[in-house]
Amino acid sequence: MPESAYEILTDRMHPAIKARSGQMRINFLAVDGGKPYVDARLSRWPGEPDINFYGFEKSVLKPLINSVGSGKHIDGRLDRTSFVNHVGRVVGKITEHCFSKPPTRQGVDEDFDADADRRGNSANDFMKSALKNKLTAGWVWLQGDMPPADSGLSPAAAKATKFRPYWIQHDPRTVVDWQFSNSGGLEWVLTESTSYQGSNPFKSPSYAKTRTLHTQTETITYLYNDKGEIFSETTNEHGLGFMPWVPFGNISQQGYWLDDVEGINRTIMNLSSAADDSVYLQMYGQLILPAGLPERVAGSNTAQVGAVVQTILGMNTPIAESPEEKGISRYISPNGADIKLIYDAIGQKKRDLFERVGMALKQEGKQAESAAAKSLDKNDEAAIL
């Protein structure tokens, strides 16, 4: 293959993946939830200091804090933030609803039905996972495969070694390019992954980029070095004459409905974080000092005024005002009614979120709900969807 062809194969990417891969990553983070999502999507307010957002250990004040003997970690807002994973709940509820009545597959092989991917997942579990990922990203890729042929296997040995067709599910971000024929069938698929190189226990493991070209007759795998150059090429012929691949979902460069749900979810998380911080500030208010006091505290080194004041007095830099303005040292804190407005906004955003996916929150009011209405098992999906 000419050098230019290798270069094209190394960098090519389908327009749909170029347009959607970034938001796909965010959607998967949202569905999985936890700290990675908070780290990726919590907004830092304009003018918010490092010490407030990151905490002491990650802020620019770390050397100063160590020098004054504090040595304690103070969590910033990034570490204190928690959220209810509405995106994961939406995707999970829709998946449960679709499989509330398991499908009947007439004539299916019992071994395949019990272990569709040769990893212990039944056909239903495999399709639940595929549906969850399709709802998250917009589409996924499904592939049929089979172990290499071995004519010497007995029926018992074939059953014991799971020598039979099985399914593979591909994350849409790893299928970087493809081509459909005029008749609608796939001509080829290009995948990308990271290969873990750690077979020798006495050598440090490494990671290598891998691109694999799947065609109707063969599979060619290219392994790349640290410089992005192909240093290994392996070809395996299968001679099927067709591509045992199928996209599940709608491949598109356009926006996707879960993007909107994630955006509202992010707003709820940011409002909740702001509301929680406002509650903290009611307990630990904002200090106001007469003008000139911070300079006297810092001594002659005026360059360290802000750092010294933050270190001594806490997370919030005091406001200094002249005697003409007020001249009285005091604390100010958010009004309780103002904080309530934030929580009201959070409630409205939750209603917006569930409206966007065709859901409705449980009825508001003081009327007692039955045990069935409170149930969150699979019988509840039809009422929520």
Side-chain angles (χ1 to χ4, degrees), residues 147-162:
D150 187 347
S151 58
L153 279 179
S154 66
K159 183 179 180 66
T161 58
K162 301 181 180 180

Side-chain angles (χ1 to χ4, degrees), residues 83 160 176 208 240 300 326 351 373:
F83 74 105
V176 295
L240 290 176
S300 59
K326 200 76 166 185
R351 290 186 286 272

Side-chain angles (χ1 to χ4, degrees), residues 214-234:
H214 307 261
T215 73
Q216 297 181 356
T217 57
E218 63 185 7
T219 299
I220 310 172
T221 301
Y222 304 94
L223 203 61
Y224 294 80
N225 58 24
D226 295 338
K227 298 179 180 179
E229 302 168 339
I230 296 175
F231 71 88
S232 174
E233 178 179 335
T234 305

